[in-house]
Amino acid sequence: YLNLHEYQSAQIMKDSGVNVPFGIAAHTVEEAVAAAKTIGDDDVVIKSQILAGGRGLGKFTNGLQGGVHIIKTKEVEDYASKMLGGTLVTKQSGPAGKPVNTVLLAKKMNLVKEFYFAIMLDRSSGGPVIIACSEGGTSIEDLAESSPEKIIKVPIDIRTGPSESEISKVVAGLGVSGDKAAAGEQIKALYNLFVEKDCTMVEVNPLAEDIDGNLIAADAKIGFDDNAAFRQKDVHAQRDHTQEDPREVAAGKWDLNYIGLDGNIGCMVNGAGLAMSTMDIISLRGGSPANFLDVGGSANVDQIKAAFEIITTDPAVKAILVNIFGGIMQCDIIAEGIVEASRSLNLEVPVIVRLEGTNVEKGQQILKDSGLELISAKDLDDAAQKAVASIA
């Protein structure tokens, strides 16, 4: 699914009737300084924009502690120069961190209470669930571990939307002290945004209350369903590919599903379930998968070649295991792709191939006639053992 930055999500929330702080995104130090002057206050909030939570408690690889700061306007140039172009590591970013190419300069709000609020898709209830907590502004994972009783979950019927009693339950769970009817309208606006924009998640941490009792979305994190990209083109056009693994971006262009892992045996499989099984058996036989790559059921020769190119961009890959169970996907098509990729890419790592199913004899003959040093396997377990042995 698609994630957007806070400044992008905040604008979408604002357009949907949600209260958000005034803010200006900046991509350069000069833009950051100008944004702070436009805000015009002595103090300003500067926030790193990355697609990972826990920014406030994160740390830059250059030593700067924290990705969110309340600073004097005269300090903006110094902080922006340290943040822009840096790499921020948080609990959710992974150890490599995420690049900071944008900072958000926001007006400092007089907030008296901070809550946690989210809407997510819940498999158990088969629809959206509103998650609310009377404490926010920090790691919800830590709070769930230390004080789970403070978190409420309210499943919503997707056909009817939240009822007044469900909205009241959320407002009570947050512990709102101001106008509860106005707070309820903000909850409704957030839910309507979730539905109308085809969201997979709307998270506000913190959802805060100012001195006048107004609810304000002081942070914004929204995920959008890729399947709805055709009707949310303006939203999906804002995708930031710099925050994603370039191999995943390349795979998406070829309609392939790729997830990079930290092993050394590349995997090319058709079907998510078979891919998971392949990785499990590699691990069982003492190996370590380098990726999850599902070519799907209708890949052509060019897509197979692209899959090999993506796998081999990982320098950790020392062998490639191809495991195909041909149903809709025909084994001869896979075989042609393997041969073409092996020749054009000049593969220097062992390639272990297990084919089964539709046109398997044709596929095996294509591999045999290719003259390439491919390692054939009779079944998945045999393939896993041969892959591990090839790099031992």
Side-chain angles (χ1 to χ4, degrees):
Y1 57 89
L2 168 70
N3 280 328
L4 292 185
H5 289 291
E6 176 192 4
Y7 75 94
Q8 297 166 318
S9 297
Q11 184 60 51
I12 292 172
M13 286 186 176
K14 181 181 178 182
D15 294 342
S16 299
V18 179
N19 299 328
V20 299
F22 176 72
I24 303 172
H27 306 286
T28 66
V29 174
E30 293 75 20
E31 289 179 0
V33 172
K37 288 181 179 179
T38 299
I39 292 171
D41 297 335
D42 292 335
D43 297 321
V44 68
V45 183
I46 186 167
K47 309 175 84 173
S48 302
Q49 300 296 286
I50 65 169
L51 296 182
R55 292 172 297 164
L57 299 176
K59 185 175 182 179
F60 281 86
T61 55
N62 61 16
L64 178 64
Q65 184 67 47
V68 178
H69 297 272
I70 300 174
I71 58 176
K72 298 293 183 182
T73 294
K74 62 184 180 182
E75 297 178 297
V76 167
E77 182 175 0
D78 179 46
Y79 273 82
S81 64
K82 293 176 181 176
M83 298 166 87
L84 286 168
T87 299
L88 181 61
V89 181
T90 76
K91 276 190 172 183
Q92 296 183 20
S93 71
K98 297 283 187 181
V100 177
N101 300 315
T102 308
V103 292
L104 175 64
L105 281 297
K107 187 176 183 66
K108 180 186 175 184
M109 307 297 292
N110 293 318
L111 305 177
V112 294
K113 294 182 72 176
E114 293 186 343
F115 317 114
Y116 175 87
F117 177 89
I119 307 173
M120 300 183 182
L121 290 171
D122 179 40
R123 188 179 297 274
S124 62
S125 63
V129 60
I130 296 178
I131 303 171
C133 181
S134 58
E135 294 183 21
T138 186
S139 170
I140 189 63
E141 293 88 351
D142 293 341
L143 190 61
E145 185 176 346
S146 62
S147 305
E149 73 283 354
K150 295 181 180 179
I151 301 173
I152 68 162
K153 298 179 181 179
V154 182
I156 305 298
D157 188 331
I158 190 68
R159 297 164 297 183
T160 60
S163 65
E164 289 300 325
S165 63
E166 288 168 339
I167 292 294
S168 297
K169 184 177 180 180
V170 173
V171 171
L174 290 171
V176 172
S177 60
D179 186 332
K180 292 177 174 53
E185 291 303 312
Q186 286 295 293
I187 303 304
K188 291 178 185 177
L190 286 163
Y191 180 82
N192 290 337
L193 161 64
F194 179 86
V195 174
E196 292 169 5
K197 293 296 184 181
D198 293 300
C199 299
T200 56
M201 176 190 71
V202 171
E203 183 181 51
V204 185
N205 186 25
L207 177 64
E209 197 173 69
D210 67 11
I211 55 175
D212 298 318
N214 299 312
L215 278 189
I216 298 172
D219 193 7
K221 184 178 180 182
I222 309 179
F224 301 87
D225 189 349
D226 281 338
N227 294 306
F230 70 96
R231 64 185 182 197
Q232 303 290 350
K233 293 180 180 178
D234 58 331
V235 171
H236 286 260
Q238 300 179 59
R239 188 174 210 129
D240 183 0
H241 291 300
T242 68
Q243 297 287 308
E244 302 176 36
D245 185 327
R247 296 169 298 181
E248 294 181 21
V249 175
K253 292 177 180 178
W254 285 98
D255 200 22
L256 304 170
N257 295 310
Y258 178 94
I259 300 173
L261 302 173
D262 56 4
N264 56 9
I265 299 178
C267 303
M268 188 175 76
V269 189
N270 67 319
L274 190 58
M276 297 295 288
S277 300
T278 302
M279 292 190 294
D280 284 345
I281 294 182
I282 288 173
S283 299
L284 182 66
R285 291 304 178 187
S288 181
N291 65 270
F292 169 104
L293 195 153
D294 173 15
V295 299
S298 57
N300 56 37
V301 171
D302 288 337
Q303 286 173 299
I304 301 304
K305 180 181 174 182
F308 271 98
E309 290 177 341
I310 293 165
I311 291 173
T312 53
T313 58
D314 183 351
V317 170
K318 304 303 179 186
I320 300 175
L321 193 162
V322 180
N323 183 26
I324 299 297
F325 187 83
I328 300 173
M329 184 72 255
Q330 298 178 13
C331 292
D332 55 324
I333 300 296
I334 290 287
E336 289 175 10
I338 293 171
V339 171
E340 186 168 325
S342 298
R343 287 174 175 163
S344 63
L345 299 176
N346 193 25
L347 294 178
E348 297 180 355
V349 298
V351 178
I352 299 86
V353 184
R354 180 261 182 160
L355 300 178
E356 191 59 72
T358 305
N359 293 349
V360 63
E361 293 83 5
K362 287 185 180 180
Q364 290 172 341
Q365 191 63 46
I366 291 170
L367 296 179
K368 183 179 179 181
D369 294 343
S370 70
L372 297 170
E373 294 184 5
L374 303 170
I375 302 172
S376 296
K378 63 179 184 293
D379 56 38
L380 177 51
D381 190 52
D382 183 41
Q385 292 186 60
K386 286 178 176 177
V388 173
S390 72
I391 58 175

